[in-house]
């Protein structure tokens, strides 16, 4: 299952191999995605998930934190956008006399 998830992530991100030694942002983001999907869809340990992409368990823990931060930022961004829309409506509001 982990290998299939890895292949899907590589295909969707158009990265040939997410297991290579690289700190390039696009590759790291693909690894974060891979590890998150493995944690959600398998019962494997952090160590086993990391082994497929040549990383240790502590890296998978770190990737989990990164993904959680992304989710929090996404929620915050949505909230800010809604507040901006409310402010824009108020600025265009003309009171009836």
């Amino acid at each position: 299952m982990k290998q299939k998830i890895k292949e899907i992530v590589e295909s969707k991100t158009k990265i040939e191999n997410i297991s290579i030694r690289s700190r390039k942002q696009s590759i790291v983001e693909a690894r974060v995605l891979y590890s998150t999907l493995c944690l959600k869809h398998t019962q494997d340990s952090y160590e086993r998930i990391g082994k497929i992409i040549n990383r240790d368990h502590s890296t998978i823990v770190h990737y989990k934190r990164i993904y959680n931060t992304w989710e929090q930022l996404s929620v915050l961004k949505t909230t800010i956008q809604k507040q901006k829309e409310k402010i824009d409506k108020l600025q265009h509001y003309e009171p009836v006399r």
Side-chain angles (χ1 to χ4, degrees), residues 7 32 35 41 56 59 90:
E7 291 168 6
V32 170
S35 62
H41 298 288
D56 65 16
T59 303
L90 286 174

Side-chain angles (χ1 to χ4, degrees), residues 23-82:
R23 295 190 311 187
K24 188 174 176 185
Q25 184 174 355
S26 60
I27 296 174
V28 172
E29 289 172 352
R31 286 190 212 124
V32 170
L33 182 58
Y34 158 80
S35 62
T36 300
L37 290 171
C38 285
L39 289 169
K40 288 183 179 184
H41 298 288
T42 71
Q43 298 295 316
D44 289 327
S45 67
Y46 287 50
E47 183 179 354
R48 293 178 104 177
I49 291 169
K51 189 172 186 175
I52 294 286
I53 56 170
N54 300 320
R55 300 293 178 273
D56 65 16
H57 73 282
S58 63
T59 303
I60 303 306
V61 171
H62 180 66
Y63 288 166
K64 184 177 179 181
R65 288 184 187 138
I66 289 172
Y67 185 81
N68 290 340
T69 300
W70 288 351
E71 284 186 324
Q72 291 171 353
L73 290 174
S74 177
V75 169
L76 181 60
K77 184 177 178 182
T78 302
T79 302
I80 290 170
Q81 184 61 38
K82 287 179 182 177

